[in-house]
Each structure stands twice: as structure tokens, then as C-alpha cells.
Amino acid sequence: MGYSSVIFLGLLMMFSFPVARSWSKEGHILTCRIAQDLLDHEAAETVKHLLPQYADGDLSALCTWPDQIRHWYKYRWTSSLHFIDTPDEACTFQNSRDCPEDKCVAGAIRNFTSQLLHYKEGSSDRRYNLTEALLFLSHFMGDIHQPMHVGFTSDEGGNTIHVRWFRHKSNLHHVWDREIILTALADFYNKDLDMFQEDLQNNSTMGVWADDISSWRDCDDLLSCPNKYAAESISLACKWGYNGVTEGEALADEYFNSRMPIVAKRIAQGGIRLAMILNKVFGNHKQEIASPT
Ligand SMILES: *[C@@H]1O[C@H](CO)[C@@H](O)[C@H](O)[C@H]1NC(C)=O
Ligand SMILES: *[C@@H]1O[C@H](CO)[C@@H](O)[C@H](O)[C@H]1NC(C)=O
Ligand SMILES: *[C@@H]1O[C@H](CO)[C@@H](O)[C@H](O)[C@H]1NC(C)=O
Ligand SMILES: *[C@@H]1O[C@H](CO)[C@@H](O)[C@H](O)[C@H]1NC(C)=O
């Protein structure tokens, strides 16, 4: 291959993969591990059954799969499902306005939840691959909780807002996808993801969030709850993500210390709510209605 075709390919790749848009793999892994630990027996068995053999029963091993395949021809249609563009400065989410034809992360959660709902009934449509539905649902429940995944249209959820993160170049979207998580891992957990996970779980079961968990789980209608999660995200994006950040700004300790608790909480919420959905979708429905909460 000649030099010019190398350059051409390089340019082609730059333009076909313009921006990264997803919780980092660490964020997705944490969300999925927290969820899997909270599954009831039946849901746990079903998840294991649906996972491909090579995942070895570990949902988190495949929670980043939707990011890996989003640019493949066959899955191109999924690449707009990782986020929501809302009108600039509106700071609200309206499904009919911001998620036409359900082609956004809230709509994707609805779609894959309803595909999985048919699993129990044994009426699942053969067009649908329920392994893929499980992986998409698990991934998108992470993404919808990343505040900047429900961001303003013109800056692509902060992707076009260049900032410095401590000493290196980054952008506002990526700060929320990954930088805050990596800095927390390095500063507080000796780069040990297991320890980060344990701290999140401790804070959920007996720590700062213990009293909030049941309200996080509240969901009367599985197919409309994603709208609530999206509204929370854009509200957080306005209050904590965009607020006070200008193009070219250097973000460091102050931004990190005030935003890290938000990132941690959103990861935990994503995991706890993913477990809630999977337990409802795969669980014994009668028992669930009968059991007091
Ligand atoms: C739902 O998912 C299926 C694939 O599983 C896809 O063909 C369909 O277009 C999706 N629907 C929406 C509204 O995204
Ligand atoms: C379902 O999707 C997974 C992941 O893409 C794939 O490995 C598997 O072969 C598919 N199953 C069917 C029955 O097509
Ligand atoms: C989580 O809580 C347990 C029990 O109190 C404790 O032993 C453990 O060190 C805590 N983990 C972290 C990472 O703080
Ligand atoms: C857990 O709670 C403690 C005490 O509020 C806090 O210092 C820590 O950052 C929290 N950890 C996570 C991961 O949320």
C-alpha cells in the first residue's frame, strides 16, 4: 500500500469514527457487575443461559460488546442508540421530541426490554437474538446513566468542547466517560477495579445511598422508566457537566472532587436498575406481585 493510500485510510478512519460516545469499559464493567450480583436466582440462571459460552457466566465481560460492533456494517443502525441529543440549553428530555422512532438510548432500552419480555412467555420472535438483546440492554442501561450521554445537540454531548484534564488534552464528554473514573481508580483504589466496585456496593448497601436504593428501583412501567433516567441525566449534565466549563478550560482537582460522587452514583444507579429490569423480565411474575416491598 502506497503512502497516499495510508493517509487516505487514516483520514477515512478519522471521519468514520469521529467521536467516542460511551462510558469507558471500566464504567460498563462496574455497572454490569453490580447488576449481576443483585440478580434473583431465576434471572441469574437465565442470564447465564443467554451468555455465550466464552463469557464464562460473566455478564460484565461482554457489556462493552455494543461499542465494539457499532461501526460494523451489520450493526451500523445501532450507533445512534448510545445517546440522546437534546436541544441546546433546554436541560430537559422529551421522548417525542428527542427520541424520534425510538432511535435513541431510551428507545433502545425499551426495544430490548420488550424483546426479552417474550423470553418467559416462550413467544420470542425468532427474528430477535436474545443474547444480543441482553448485551444491548446491559450496555445501554450504563450509557443512559452517563449524564453527558444525554447532552446538547450542537456540541455532541460535550464531545466538541475541548478541555484539559489535569495535564493532558481531552474533551468534556470524555471527562465524564472515562477521565473521572480513571483518576478515581488511581487516586483512591490503587487502580484496582474490584476495590472500586466494593466501595460502590458498600455505599449502596450500608453507606451514603442505602436509604435511596428503593426509590432508584421504583418503576411501575418498564417501558417508560428509561424516560426518567434520561431526564435525570440531562439535568445532571446541565448542573454538573456543562456548568461553568468553557472551551479550552483546564479541569483539575476542583472539578474532579465535586463530580466524582456524581459519576459513582450514576454507575451504581445503572447497575441497580439493570438488576431491577432483569429480575422483572426474567423473574417469576406472580411471586413478584405477591411479595410485599
Ligand atoms: C429493535 O431491535 C431490532 C433488532 O433486535 C431492530 O431490528 C429494530 O429496528 C429495533 N427497533 C427500534 C425502534 O430501534
Ligand atoms: C446471537 O448473537 C451472538 C452475538 O452476536 C452470536 O454469537 C450468536 O451466534 C447469535 N445467535 C443466533 C442464534 O444467531
Ligand atoms: C466494604 O465494607 C466491608 C465491610 O464493612 C469492608 O471490610 C471493606 O473494606 C469495604 N470495602 C471498601 C473498598 O471500602
Ligand atoms: C463511598 O462513600 C464514602 C463516604 O461518603 C465516600 O468518601 C466515597 O467516595 C464513596 N465511594 C464511592 C465509590 O461512591
Side-chain angles (χ1 to χ4, degrees), residues 189 195 198-199 202 206:
Y189 307 103
M195 215 196 290
E198 203 179 282
D199 200 21
N202 280 357
M206 51 201 171

Side-chain angles (χ1 to χ4, degrees), residues 7-247:
I7 291 175
F8 174 73
L9 264 181
L11 286 174
L12 194 71
M13 286 176 69
M14 271 168 62
F15 288 111
S16 40
F17 304 90
V19 285
R21 285 187 154 201
S22 191
W23 270 136
S24 60
K25 68 176 192 303
E26 293 81 4
H28 283 292
I29 289 170
L30 288 168
T31 293
C32 283
R33 285 195 194 160
I34 289 168
Q36 198 169 13
D37 278 358
L38 292 170
L39 295 181
D40 303 336
H41 177 75
E42 251 184 310
E45 290 301 310
T46 310
V47 164
K48 280 192 184 140
H49 175 75
L50 285 176
L51 284 174
Q53 201 108 49
Y54 63 86
D56 204 18
D58 177 11
L59 178 62
S60 76
L62 287 176
C63 279
T64 52
W65 175 81
D67 277 336
Q68 287 151 15
I69 51 89
R70 63 191 287 187
H71 297 293
W72 298 9
Y73 180 74
K74 180 181 168 200
Y75 295 104
R76 271 272 159 96
W77 66 278
T78 67
S79 73
S80 64
L81 301 181
H82 293 249
F83 57 89
I84 296 169
D85 283 334
T86 62
D88 294 358
E89 312 296 337
C91 297
T92 55
F93 168 71
Q94 282 172 25
N95 194 65
S96 56
R97 180 191 66 193
D98 307 329
C99 194
E101 294 171 44
D102 262 1
K103 299 290 182 204
C104 81
V105 65
I109 291 169
R110 258 189 292 283
N111 189 13
F112 296 114
T113 300
S114 52
Q115 289 183 22
L116 291 171
L117 273 169
H118 295 294
Y119 179 88
K120 269 265 140 176
E121 299 163 16
S123 65
S124 65
D125 189 323
R126 292 219 189 104
R127 274 179 305 167
Y128 300 136
N129 178 326
L130 295 187
T131 298
E132 293 191 351
L134 172 67
L135 301 183
F136 280 125
L137 172 67
S138 303
H139 182 89
F140 293 139
M141 277 301 286
D143 280 346
I144 201 171
H145 283 84
Q146 204 280 54
M148 299 300 291
H149 272 244
V150 189
F152 300 156
T153 306
S154 67
D155 59 44
E156 299 174 28
N159 267 295
T160 67
I161 301 176
H162 304 98
V163 296
R164 282 188 165 271
W165 182 248
F166 293 87
R167 308 181 67 172
H168 64 264
K169 288 184 181 170
S170 190
N171 68 59
L172 188 59
H173 186 89
H174 193 63
V175 164
W176 283 79
D177 265 352
R178 189 139 200 250
E179 310 283 18
I180 293 174
I181 296 175
L182 290 190
T183 303
L185 270 171
D187 286 7
F188 304 141
Y189 307 103
N190 205 13
K191 302 200 176 173
D192 181 349
L193 201 62
D194 294 345
M195 215 196 290
F196 196 165
Q197 181 191 341
E198 203 179 282
D199 200 21
L200 288 166
Q201 285 168 323
N202 280 357
N203 282 359
S204 308
T205 51
M206 51 201 171
V208 281
W209 306 316
D211 294 336
D212 306 331
I213 301 294
S214 73
S215 72
W216 293 357
R217 276 201 197 103
D218 269 352
C219 176
D220 292 337
D221 171 10
L222 284 182
L223 302 186
S224 66
C225 290
N227 295 345
K228 179 173 83 176
Y229 311 151
E232 291 168 356
S233 269
I234 181 60
S235 168
L236 291 168
C238 284
K239 188 166 173 201
W240 298 99
Y242 288 111
N243 197 4
V245 178
T246 49
E247 169 70 22

